[in-house]
mmCIF file of all heavy atoms in Angstrom:
data_model
loop_
_atom_site.group_PDB
_atom_site.id
_atom_site.type_symbol
_atom_site.label_atom_id
_atom_site.label_comp_id
_atom_site.label_asym_id
_atom_site.label_seq_id
_atom_site.Cartn_x
_atom_site.Cartn_y
_atom_site.Cartn_z
ATOM 1 N N MET U 8 -6.263 -17.731 -25.408
ATOM 2 C CA MET U 8 -6.193 -16.317 -25.119
ATOM 3 C C MET U 8 -7.527 -15.657 -25.468
ATOM 4 O O MET U 8 -8.185 -16.047 -26.416
ATOM 5 C CB MET U 8 -5.076 -15.657 -25.931
ATOM 6 C CG MET U 8 -3.672 -16.119 -25.596
ATOM 7 S SD MET U 8 -3.175 -15.603 -23.994
ATOM 8 C CE MET U 8 -2.441 -14.071 -24.242
ATOM 9 N N SER U 9 -7.844 -14.653 -24.715
ATOM 10 C CA SER U 9 -9.098 -13.945 -24.928
ATOM 11 C C SER U 9 -8.833 -12.593 -25.585
ATOM 12 O O SER U 9 -7.795 -11.961 -25.357
ATOM 13 C CB SER U 9 -9.785 -13.744 -23.588
ATOM 14 O OG SER U 9 -10.932 -12.962 -23.759
ATOM 15 N N ALA U 10 -9.754 -12.144 -26.361
ATOM 16 C CA ALA U 10 -9.631 -10.846 -27.026
ATOM 17 C C ALA U 10 -10.164 -9.719 -26.148
ATOM 18 O O ALA U 10 -9.983 -8.550 -26.476
ATOM 19 C CB ALA U 10 -10.371 -10.876 -28.353
ATOM 20 N N TYR U 11 -10.796 -10.073 -25.041
ATOM 21 C CA TYR U 11 -11.369 -9.052 -24.173
ATOM 22 C C TYR U 11 -10.283 -8.441 -23.294
ATOM 23 O O TYR U 11 -9.378 -9.129 -22.829
ATOM 24 C CB TYR U 11 -12.459 -9.646 -23.301
ATOM 25 C CG TYR U 11 -13.622 -10.177 -24.098
ATOM 26 C CD1 TYR U 11 -13.875 -11.543 -24.154
ATOM 27 C CD2 TYR U 11 -14.464 -9.315 -24.779
ATOM 28 C CE1 TYR U 11 -14.934 -12.040 -24.880
ATOM 29 C CE2 TYR U 11 -15.530 -9.800 -25.512
ATOM 30 C CZ TYR U 11 -15.761 -11.155 -25.555
ATOM 31 O OH TYR U 11 -16.810 -11.626 -26.268
ATOM 32 N N THR U 12 -10.391 -7.154 -23.038
ATOM 33 C CA THR U 12 -9.469 -6.466 -22.143
ATOM 34 C C THR U 12 -10.254 -5.884 -20.982
ATOM 35 O O THR U 12 -11.439 -5.561 -21.109
ATOM 36 C CB THR U 12 -8.707 -5.340 -22.872
ATOM 37 O OG1 THR U 12 -9.652 -4.417 -23.387
ATOM 38 C CG2 THR U 12 -7.838 -5.887 -23.980
ATOM 39 N N PHE U 13 -9.593 -5.734 -19.852
ATOM 40 C CA PHE U 13 -10.210 -5.177 -18.655
ATOM 41 C C PHE U 13 -9.661 -3.779 -18.440
ATOM 42 O O PHE U 13 -8.453 -3.590 -18.379
ATOM 43 C CB PHE U 13 -9.914 -6.066 -17.446
ATOM 44 C CG PHE U 13 -10.428 -5.506 -16.162
ATOM 45 C CD1 PHE U 13 -11.770 -5.574 -15.848
ATOM 46 C CD2 PHE U 13 -9.578 -4.889 -15.269
ATOM 47 C CE1 PHE U 13 -12.254 -5.052 -14.668
ATOM 48 C CE2 PHE U 13 -10.045 -4.366 -14.085
ATOM 49 C CZ PHE U 13 -11.392 -4.447 -13.785
ATOM 50 N N ARG U 14 -10.549 -2.807 -18.333
ATOM 51 C CA ARG U 14 -10.128 -1.430 -18.091
ATOM 52 C C ARG U 14 -10.799 -0.933 -16.817
ATOM 53 O O ARG U 14 -11.977 -1.178 -16.589
ATOM 54 C CB ARG U 14 -10.500 -0.530 -19.266
ATOM 55 C CG ARG U 14 -9.736 -0.869 -20.509
ATOM 56 C CD ARG U 14 -10.111 0.098 -21.612
ATOM 57 N NE ARG U 14 -9.406 -0.288 -22.823
ATOM 58 C CZ ARG U 14 -8.476 0.454 -23.400
ATOM 59 N NH1 ARG U 14 -8.160 1.615 -22.885
ATOM 60 N NH2 ARG U 14 -7.884 0.037 -24.485
ATOM 61 N N SER U 15 -10.025 -0.233 -16.031
ATOM 62 C CA SER U 15 -10.540 0.323 -14.790
ATOM 63 C C SER U 15 -9.986 1.730 -14.614
ATOM 64 O O SER U 15 -8.844 2.009 -14.972
ATOM 65 C CB SER U 15 -10.131 -0.556 -13.612
ATOM 66 O OG SER U 15 -10.507 0.057 -12.395
ATOM 67 N N SER U 16 -10.784 2.613 -14.025
ATOM 68 C CA SER U 16 -10.308 3.977 -13.777
ATOM 69 C C SER U 16 -9.515 4.056 -12.481
ATOM 70 O O SER U 16 -8.854 5.048 -12.213
ATOM 71 C CB SER U 16 -11.493 4.940 -13.715
ATOM 72 O OG SER U 16 -12.359 4.556 -12.676
ATOM 73 N N ARG U 17 -9.588 3.008 -11.677
ATOM 74 C CA ARG U 17 -8.866 2.983 -10.411
ATOM 75 C C ARG U 17 -7.411 2.586 -10.645
ATOM 76 O O ARG U 17 -7.141 1.573 -11.293
ATOM 77 C CB ARG U 17 -9.535 1.988 -9.475
ATOM 78 C CG ARG U 17 -8.924 1.914 -8.125
ATOM 79 C CD ARG U 17 -9.704 0.945 -7.262
ATOM 80 N NE ARG U 17 -9.021 0.789 -6.006
ATOM 81 C CZ ARG U 17 -9.250 -0.194 -5.167
ATOM 82 N NH1 ARG U 17 -10.148 -1.110 -5.459
ATOM 83 N NH2 ARG U 17 -8.602 -0.282 -4.042
ATOM 84 N N PRO U 18 -6.447 3.365 -10.109
ATOM 85 C CA PRO U 18 -5.047 2.997 -10.315
ATOM 86 C C PRO U 18 -4.674 1.748 -9.510
ATOM 87 O O PRO U 18 -5.294 1.437 -8.494
ATOM 88 C CB PRO U 18 -4.271 4.216 -9.825
ATOM 89 C CG PRO U 18 -5.186 4.880 -8.870
ATOM 90 C CD PRO U 18 -6.576 4.613 -9.354
ATOM 91 N N ASP U 19 -3.669 1.047 -9.965
ATOM 92 C CA ASP U 19 -3.195 -0.133 -9.263
ATOM 93 C C ASP U 19 -2.499 0.269 -7.968
ATOM 94 O O ASP U 19 -2.009 1.382 -7.813
ATOM 95 C CB ASP U 19 -2.222 -0.916 -10.145
ATOM 96 C CG ASP U 19 -2.925 -1.516 -11.353
ATOM 97 O OD1 ASP U 19 -4.074 -1.942 -11.194
ATOM 98 O OD2 ASP U 19 -2.326 -1.551 -12.437
ATOM 99 N N HIS U 20 -2.459 -0.646 -7.010
ATOM 100 C CA HIS U 20 -1.886 -0.316 -5.706
ATOM 101 C C HIS U 20 -0.386 -0.079 -5.770
ATOM 102 O O HIS U 20 0.169 0.602 -4.920
ATOM 103 C CB HIS U 20 -2.226 -1.406 -4.689
ATOM 104 C CG HIS U 20 -1.605 -2.721 -4.990
ATOM 105 N ND1 HIS U 20 -0.361 -3.068 -4.566
ATOM 106 C CD2 HIS U 20 -2.063 -3.784 -5.693
ATOM 107 C CE1 HIS U 20 -0.070 -4.289 -4.987
ATOM 108 N NE2 HIS U 20 -1.091 -4.738 -5.685
ATOM 109 N N TRP U 21 0.305 -0.607 -6.763
ATOM 110 C CA TRP U 21 1.745 -0.365 -6.838
ATOM 111 C C TRP U 21 2.048 0.974 -7.492
ATOM 112 O O TRP U 21 3.150 1.473 -7.403
ATOM 113 C CB TRP U 21 2.462 -1.502 -7.584
ATOM 114 C CG TRP U 21 1.981 -1.712 -8.989
ATOM 115 C CD1 TRP U 21 2.328 -1.003 -10.084
ATOM 116 C CD2 TRP U 21 1.051 -2.697 -9.414
ATOM 117 N NE1 TRP U 21 1.665 -1.481 -11.180
ATOM 118 C CE2 TRP U 21 0.879 -2.526 -10.806
ATOM 119 C CE3 TRP U 21 0.348 -3.698 -8.771
ATOM 120 C CZ2 TRP U 21 0.029 -3.328 -11.551
ATOM 121 C CZ3 TRP U 21 -0.493 -4.485 -9.525
ATOM 122 C CH2 TRP U 21 -0.635 -4.307 -10.885
ATOM 123 N N VAL U 22 1.054 1.584 -8.143
ATOM 124 C CA VAL U 22 1.249 2.906 -8.731
ATOM 125 C C VAL U 22 1.101 3.980 -7.655
ATOM 126 O O VAL U 22 1.841 4.961 -7.634
ATOM 127 C CB VAL U 22 0.229 3.138 -9.867
ATOM 128 C CG1 VAL U 22 0.350 4.535 -10.433
ATOM 129 C CG2 VAL U 22 0.426 2.095 -10.960
ATOM 130 N N SER U 23 0.152 3.814 -6.751
ATOM 131 C CA SER U 23 -0.050 4.769 -5.659
ATOM 132 C C SER U 23 0.031 4.018 -4.332
ATOM 133 O O SER U 23 -0.983 3.598 -3.778
ATOM 134 C CB SER U 23 -1.402 5.463 -5.800
ATOM 135 O OG SER U 23 -2.424 4.507 -5.850
ATOM 136 N N PRO U 24 1.234 3.820 -3.808
ATOM 137 C CA PRO U 24 1.373 3.049 -2.568
ATOM 138 C C PRO U 24 0.837 3.813 -1.357
ATOM 139 O O PRO U 24 0.669 5.036 -1.386
ATOM 140 C CB PRO U 24 2.879 2.844 -2.460
ATOM 141 C CG PRO U 24 3.462 3.986 -3.192
ATOM 142 C CD PRO U 24 2.507 4.297 -4.302
ATOM 143 N N ARG U 25 0.553 3.070 -0.306
ATOM 144 C CA ARG U 25 0.073 3.672 0.933
ATOM 145 C C ARG U 25 1.205 4.449 1.585
ATOM 146 O O ARG U 25 2.372 4.083 1.470
ATOM 147 C CB ARG U 25 -0.420 2.597 1.882
ATOM 148 C CG ARG U 25 -1.651 1.893 1.366
ATOM 149 C CD ARG U 25 -2.018 0.737 2.236
ATOM 150 N NE ARG U 25 -2.337 1.174 3.583
ATOM 151 C CZ ARG U 25 -2.599 0.354 4.576
ATOM 152 N NH1 ARG U 25 -2.560 -0.931 4.386
ATOM 153 N NH2 ARG U 25 -2.895 0.816 5.756
ATOM 154 N N PRO U 26 0.890 5.517 2.313
ATOM 155 C CA PRO U 26 1.936 6.262 3.001
ATOM 156 C C PRO U 26 2.547 5.424 4.127
ATOM 157 O O PRO U 26 1.920 4.502 4.648
ATOM 158 C CB PRO U 26 1.220 7.490 3.554
ATOM 159 C CG PRO U 26 -0.207 7.091 3.627
ATOM 160 C CD PRO U 26 -0.434 6.112 2.512
ATOM 161 N N THR U 27 3.763 5.769 4.507
ATOM 162 C CA THR U 27 4.440 5.034 5.571
ATOM 163 C C THR U 27 3.748 5.300 6.900
ATOM 164 O O THR U 27 3.146 6.354 7.104
ATOM 165 C CB THR U 27 5.916 5.452 5.666
ATOM 166 O OG1 THR U 27 5.971 6.868 5.900
ATOM 167 C CG2 THR U 27 6.649 5.126 4.388
ATOM 168 N N ARG U 28 3.835 4.346 7.791
ATOM 169 C CA ARG U 28 3.206 4.468 9.101
ATOM 170 C C ARG U 28 4.268 4.822 10.127
ATOM 171 O O ARG U 28 4.927 3.942 10.673
ATOM 172 C CB ARG U 28 2.507 3.177 9.476
ATOM 173 C CG ARG U 28 1.369 2.869 8.537
ATOM 174 C CD ARG U 28 0.521 1.771 9.103
ATOM 175 N NE ARG U 28 -0.814 1.879 8.564
ATOM 176 C CZ ARG U 28 -1.886 2.084 9.322
ATOM 177 N NH1 ARG U 28 -1.766 2.197 10.602
ATOM 178 N NH2 ARG U 28 -3.064 2.155 8.777
ATOM 179 N N ASP U 29 4.437 6.100 10.374
ATOM 180 C CA ASP U 29 5.403 6.587 11.348
ATOM 181 C C ASP U 29 4.769 6.513 12.742
ATOM 182 O O ASP U 29 3.715 7.113 12.965
ATOM 183 C CB ASP U 29 5.795 8.016 11.004
ATOM 184 C CG ASP U 29 6.847 8.580 11.924
ATOM 185 O OD1 ASP U 29 7.564 7.780 12.557
ATOM 186 O OD2 ASP U 29 6.958 9.812 12.003
ATOM 187 N N PRO U 30 5.364 5.775 13.683
ATOM 188 C CA PRO U 30 4.753 5.634 15.015
ATOM 189 C C PRO U 30 4.574 6.968 15.737
ATOM 190 O O PRO U 30 3.576 7.169 16.416
ATOM 191 C CB PRO U 30 5.730 4.730 15.770
ATOM 192 C CG PRO U 30 6.485 4.012 14.723
ATOM 193 C CD PRO U 30 6.555 4.921 13.548
ATOM 194 N N ALA U 31 5.514 7.890 15.592
ATOM 195 C CA ALA U 31 5.386 9.187 16.267
ATOM 196 C C ALA U 31 4.217 9.982 15.694
ATOM 197 O O ALA U 31 3.482 10.656 16.427
ATOM 198 C CB ALA U 31 6.684 9.977 16.131
ATOM 199 N N ARG U 32 4.021 9.885 14.397
ATOM 200 C CA ARG U 32 2.905 10.611 13.764
ATOM 201 C C ARG U 32 1.565 9.998 14.171
ATOM 202 O O ARG U 32 0.607 10.708 14.456
ATOM 203 C CB ARG U 32 3.067 10.565 12.252
ATOM 204 C CG ARG U 32 2.061 11.367 11.509
ATOM 205 C CD ARG U 32 2.462 11.491 10.043
ATOM 206 N NE ARG U 32 1.333 11.967 9.281
ATOM 207 C CZ ARG U 32 0.603 11.234 8.465
ATOM 208 N NH1 ARG U 32 0.912 9.977 8.262
ATOM 209 N NH2 ARG U 32 -0.409 11.743 7.823
ATOM 210 N N LEU U 33 1.504 8.668 14.236
ATOM 211 C CA LEU U 33 0.273 8.017 14.667
ATOM 212 C C LEU U 33 -0.057 8.350 16.119
ATOM 213 O O LEU U 33 -1.220 8.536 16.472
ATOM 214 C CB LEU U 33 0.384 6.503 14.487
ATOM 215 C CG LEU U 33 0.368 6.005 13.050
ATOM 216 C CD1 LEU U 33 0.600 4.514 13.015
ATOM 217 C CD2 LEU U 33 -0.944 6.349 12.387
ATOM 218 N N ARG U 34 0.968 8.433 16.972
ATOM 219 C CA ARG U 34 0.723 8.780 18.372
ATOM 220 C C ARG U 34 0.225 10.211 18.491
ATOM 221 O O ARG U 34 -0.632 10.517 19.322
ATOM 222 C CB ARG U 34 1.992 8.604 19.197
ATOM 223 C CG ARG U 34 1.729 8.834 20.682
ATOM 224 C CD ARG U 34 2.960 8.707 21.536
ATOM 225 N NE ARG U 34 3.534 7.393 21.419
ATOM 226 C CZ ARG U 34 4.836 7.164 21.242
ATOM 227 N NH1 ARG U 34 5.678 8.156 21.162
ATOM 228 N NH2 ARG U 34 5.284 5.939 21.153
ATOM 229 N N ALA U 35 0.737 11.113 17.654
ATOM 230 C CA ALA U 35 0.276 12.500 17.686
ATOM 231 C C ALA U 35 -1.172 12.608 17.224
ATOM 232 O O ALA U 35 -1.938 13.432 17.725
ATOM 233 C CB ALA U 35 1.175 13.363 16.805
ATOM 234 N N ILE U 36 -1.574 11.774 16.288
ATOM 235 C CA ILE U 36 -2.943 11.826 15.770
ATOM 236 C C ILE U 36 -3.920 11.137 16.716
ATOM 237 O O ILE U 36 -4.961 11.690 17.077
ATOM 238 C CB ILE U 36 -3.012 11.175 14.375
ATOM 239 C CG1 ILE U 36 -2.200 11.990 13.376
ATOM 240 C CG2 ILE U 36 -4.452 11.043 13.906
ATOM 241 C CD1 ILE U 36 -2.032 11.308 12.038
ATOM 242 N N HIS U 37 -3.594 9.913 17.152
ATOM 243 C CA HIS U 37 -4.544 9.074 17.885
ATOM 244 C C HIS U 37 -4.281 8.995 19.379
ATOM 245 O O HIS U 37 -5.083 8.419 20.105
ATOM 246 C CB HIS U 37 -4.539 7.656 17.309
ATOM 247 C CG HIS U 37 -4.903 7.606 15.860
ATOM 248 N ND1 HIS U 37 -6.171 7.857 15.415
ATOM 249 C CD2 HIS U 37 -4.166 7.339 14.758
ATOM 250 C CE1 HIS U 37 -6.202 7.752 14.095
ATOM 251 N NE2 HIS U 37 -4.995 7.439 13.680
ATOM 252 N N GLY U 38 -3.156 9.493 19.856
ATOM 253 C CA GLY U 38 -2.832 9.398 21.269
ATOM 254 C C GLY U 38 -2.086 8.104 21.567
ATOM 255 O O GLY U 38 -1.875 7.273 20.687
ATOM 256 N N PRO U 39 -1.672 7.918 22.810
ATOM 257 C CA PRO U 39 -0.921 6.708 23.158
ATOM 258 C C PRO U 39 -1.795 5.461 23.077
ATOM 259 O O PRO U 39 -3.027 5.540 23.083
ATOM 260 C CB PRO U 39 -0.453 6.972 24.591
ATOM 261 C CG PRO U 39 -1.428 7.951 25.130
ATOM 262 C CD PRO U 39 -1.853 8.797 23.966
ATOM 263 N N LEU U 40 -1.141 4.309 23.028
ATOM 264 C CA LEU U 40 -1.860 3.040 22.974
ATOM 265 C C LEU U 40 -2.631 2.817 24.269
ATOM 266 O O LEU U 40 -2.156 3.115 25.353
ATOM 267 C CB LEU U 40 -0.872 1.889 22.768
ATOM 268 C CG LEU U 40 -0.171 1.842 21.425
ATOM 269 C CD1 LEU U 40 0.833 0.704 21.413
ATOM 270 C CD2 LEU U 40 -1.165 1.663 20.310
ATOM 271 N N GLN U 41 -3.823 2.279 24.125
ATOM 272 C CA GLN U 41 -4.672 1.980 25.266
ATOM 273 C C GLN U 41 -4.878 0.473 25.341
ATOM 274 O O GLN U 41 -5.032 -0.179 24.310
ATOM 275 C CB GLN U 41 -6.040 2.661 25.102
ATOM 276 C CG GLN U 41 -5.979 4.157 24.996
ATOM 277 C CD GLN U 41 -5.662 4.807 26.328
ATOM 278 O OE1 GLN U 41 -6.033 4.283 27.373
ATOM 279 N NE2 GLN U 41 -4.976 5.920 26.281
ATOM 280 N N PRO U 42 -4.906 -0.091 26.532
ATOM 281 C CA PRO U 42 -5.181 -1.525 26.633
ATOM 282 C C PRO U 42 -6.630 -1.829 26.248
ATOM 283 O O PRO U 42 -7.528 -1.006 26.438
ATOM 284 C CB PRO U 42 -4.924 -1.836 28.108
ATOM 285 C CG PRO U 42 -5.104 -0.535 28.809
ATOM 286 C CD PRO U 42 -4.662 0.523 27.831
ATOM 287 N N LEU U 43 -6.839 -3.011 25.682
ATOM 288 C CA LEU U 43 -8.185 -3.401 25.288
ATOM 289 C C LEU U 43 -9.071 -3.676 26.495
ATOM 290 O O LEU U 43 -10.235 -3.322 26.517
ATOM 291 C CB LEU U 43 -8.136 -4.640 24.390
ATOM 292 C CG LEU U 43 -7.565 -4.411 23.004
ATOM 293 C CD1 LEU U 43 -7.476 -5.732 22.259
ATOM 294 C CD2 LEU U 43 -8.425 -3.448 22.230
ATOM 295 N N GLU U 44 -8.517 -4.311 27.498
ATOM 296 C CA GLU U 44 -9.291 -4.650 28.690
ATOM 297 C C GLU U 44 -8.555 -4.148 29.916
ATOM 298 O O GLU U 44 -7.332 -4.201 29.991
ATOM 299 C CB GLU U 44 -9.474 -6.159 28.810
ATOM 300 C CG GLU U 44 -10.294 -6.762 27.711
ATOM 301 C CD GLU U 44 -10.458 -8.258 27.891
ATOM 302 O OE1 GLU U 44 -10.041 -8.777 28.945
ATOM 303 O OE2 GLU U 44 -10.995 -8.887 26.983
ATOM 304 N N THR U 45 -9.288 -3.645 30.863
ATOM 305 C CA THR U 45 -8.682 -3.224 32.123
ATOM 306 C C THR U 45 -8.797 -4.358 33.129
ATOM 307 O O THR U 45 -9.723 -5.163 33.076
ATOM 308 C CB THR U 45 -9.376 -1.961 32.671
ATOM 309 O OG1 THR U 45 -10.757 -2.246 32.859
ATOM 310 C CG2 THR U 45 -9.225 -0.797 31.706
ATOM 311 N N ASN U 46 -7.886 -4.399 34.040
ATOM 312 C CA ASN U 46 -7.877 -5.451 35.053
ATOM 313 C C ASN U 46 -8.417 -4.926 36.379
ATOM 314 O O ASN U 46 -7.890 -5.227 37.440
ATOM 315 C CB ASN U 46 -6.456 -6.004 35.228
ATOM 316 C CG ASN U 46 -6.006 -6.772 34.014
ATOM 317 O OD1 ASN U 46 -6.828 -7.343 33.315
ATOM 318 N ND2 ASN U 46 -4.718 -6.801 33.763
ATOM 319 N N ASP U 47 -9.469 -4.128 36.316
ATOM 320 C CA ASP U 47 -10.084 -3.604 37.523
ATOM 321 C C ASP U 47 -10.856 -4.710 38.242
ATOM 322 O O ASP U 47 -11.348 -5.647 37.629
ATOM 323 C CB ASP U 47 -11.057 -2.468 37.193
ATOM 324 C CG ASP U 47 -10.337 -1.274 36.599
ATOM 325 O OD1 ASP U 47 -9.142 -1.110 36.868
ATOM 326 O OD2 ASP U 47 -10.988 -0.502 35.867
ATOM 327 N N GLY U 48 -10.995 -4.561 39.511
ATOM 328 C CA GLY U 48 -11.756 -5.524 40.289
ATOM 329 C C GLY U 48 -13.250 -5.322 40.103
ATOM 330 O O GLY U 48 -13.706 -4.389 39.442
ATOM 331 N N TRP U 49 -14.025 -6.166 40.718
ATOM 332 C CA TRP U 49 -15.470 -6.100 40.551
ATOM 333 C C TRP U 49 -16.039 -4.843 41.187
ATOM 334 O O TRP U 49 -17.009 -4.282 40.695
ATOM 335 C CB TRP U 49 -16.140 -7.345 41.117
ATOM 336 C CG TRP U 49 -15.971 -7.505 42.604
ATOM 337 C CD1 TRP U 49 -14.966 -8.109 43.254
ATOM 338 C CD2 TRP U 49 -16.862 -6.995 43.601
ATOM 339 N NE1 TRP U 49 -15.146 -8.026 44.601
ATOM 340 C CE2 TRP U 49 -16.319 -7.341 44.854
ATOM 341 C CE3 TRP U 49 -18.051 -6.304 43.573
ATOM 342 C CZ2 TRP U 49 -16.921 -6.995 46.045
ATOM 343 C CZ3 TRP U 49 -18.660 -5.961 44.763
ATOM 344 C CH2 TRP U 49 -18.095 -6.320 45.991
ATOM 345 N N LEU U 50 -15.415 -4.337 42.263
ATOM 346 C CA LEU U 50 -15.912 -3.129 42.917
ATOM 347 C C LEU U 50 -15.687 -1.901 42.031
ATOM 348 O O LEU U 50 -16.570 -1.044 41.916
ATOM 349 C CB LEU U 50 -15.216 -2.951 44.272
ATOM 350 C CG LEU U 50 -15.714 -1.774 45.111
ATOM 351 C CD1 LEU U 50 -17.192 -1.956 45.440
ATOM 352 C CD2 LEU U 50 -14.900 -1.633 46.377
ATOM 353 N N ALA U 51 -14.540 -1.834 41.385
ATOM 354 C CA ALA U 51 -14.269 -0.707 40.484
ATOM 355 C C ALA U 51 -15.225 -0.722 39.289
ATOM 356 O O ALA U 51 -15.688 0.327 38.848
ATOM 357 C CB ALA U 51 -12.826 -0.767 40.010
ATOM 358 N N ARG U 52 -15.525 -1.917 38.781
ATOM 359 C CA ARG U 52 -16.488 -2.002 37.676
ATOM 360 C C ARG U 52 -17.903 -1.646 38.138
ATOM 361 O O ARG U 52 -18.686 -1.071 37.401
ATOM 362 C CB ARG U 52 -16.467 -3.407 37.084
ATOM 363 C CG ARG U 52 -15.273 -3.614 36.166
ATOM 364 C CD ARG U 52 -15.325 -4.952 35.491
ATOM 365 N NE ARG U 52 -14.695 -5.942 36.383
ATOM 366 C CZ ARG U 52 -15.133 -7.158 36.610
ATOM 367 N NH1 ARG U 52 -16.205 -7.581 35.993
ATOM 368 N NH2 ARG U 52 -14.512 -7.964 37.420
ATOM 369 N N LEU U 53 -18.227 -1.998 39.382
ATOM 370 C CA LEU U 53 -19.549 -1.692 39.917
ATOM 371 C C LEU U 53 -19.730 -0.190 40.087
ATOM 372 O O LEU U 53 -20.807 0.342 39.822
ATOM 373 C CB LEU U 53 -19.741 -2.413 41.263
ATOM 374 C CG LEU U 53 -21.066 -2.213 41.954
ATOM 375 C CD1 LEU U 53 -22.181 -2.880 41.142
ATOM 376 C CD2 LEU U 53 -21.025 -2.786 43.349
ATOM 377 N N LEU U 54 -18.687 0.517 40.509
ATOM 378 C CA LEU U 54 -18.781 1.946 40.777
ATOM 379 C C LEU U 54 -18.373 2.806 39.580
ATOM 380 O O LEU U 54 -18.334 4.023 39.717
ATOM 381 C CB LEU U 54 -17.902 2.291 41.978
ATOM 382 C CG LEU U 54 -18.265 1.576 43.288
ATOM 383 C CD1 LEU U 54 -17.264 1.903 44.366
ATOM 384 C CD2 LEU U 54 -19.681 1.943 43.715
ATOM 385 N N ALA U 55 -18.084 2.209 38.459
ATOM 386 C CA ALA U 55 -17.652 2.969 37.284
ATOM 387 C C ALA U 55 -18.795 3.813 36.739
ATOM 388 O O ALA U 55 -19.945 3.384 36.705
ATOM 389 C CB ALA U 55 -17.139 2.016 36.207
ATOM 390 N N HIS U 56 -18.441 5.022 36.343
ATOM 391 C CA HIS U 56 -19.450 5.923 35.740
ATOM 392 C C HIS U 56 -19.531 5.637 34.258
ATOM 393 O O HIS U 56 -18.538 5.575 33.569
ATOM 394 C CB HIS U 56 -19.065 7.379 35.977
ATOM 395 C CG HIS U 56 -19.048 7.749 37.408
ATOM 396 N ND1 HIS U 56 -20.193 7.937 38.125
ATOM 397 C CD2 HIS U 56 -18.023 7.957 38.278
ATOM 398 C CE1 HIS U 56 -19.879 8.252 39.377
ATOM 399 N NE2 HIS U 56 -18.563 8.268 39.484
ATOM 400 N N ARG U 57 -20.728 5.466 33.742
ATOM 401 C CA ARG U 57 -20.904 5.181 32.308
ATOM 402 C C ARG U 57 -21.545 6.340 31.621
ATOM 403 O O ARG U 57 -22.346 7.022 32.041
ATOM 404 C CB ARG U 57 -21.740 3.925 32.124
ATOM 405 C CG ARG U 57 -20.996 2.735 32.618
ATOM 406 C CD ARG U 57 -21.783 1.492 32.351
ATOM 407 N NE ARG U 57 -21.037 0.377 32.941
ATOM 408 C CZ ARG U 57 -21.095 -0.830 32.486
ATOM 409 N NH1 ARG U 57 -21.837 -1.125 31.465
ATOM 410 N NH2 ARG U 57 -20.413 -1.785 33.055
#
């Protein structure tokens, strides 16, 4: 056993848990889910405005 103790000013994660993730609240904040990749053809990608 060691005589040294560890002290931290940061609270443990079980003392201050993360808030619940409500899907309706996340949709209101970030908007609806978007697909990562679109399945546009090569012509649509060629004419896309950037």
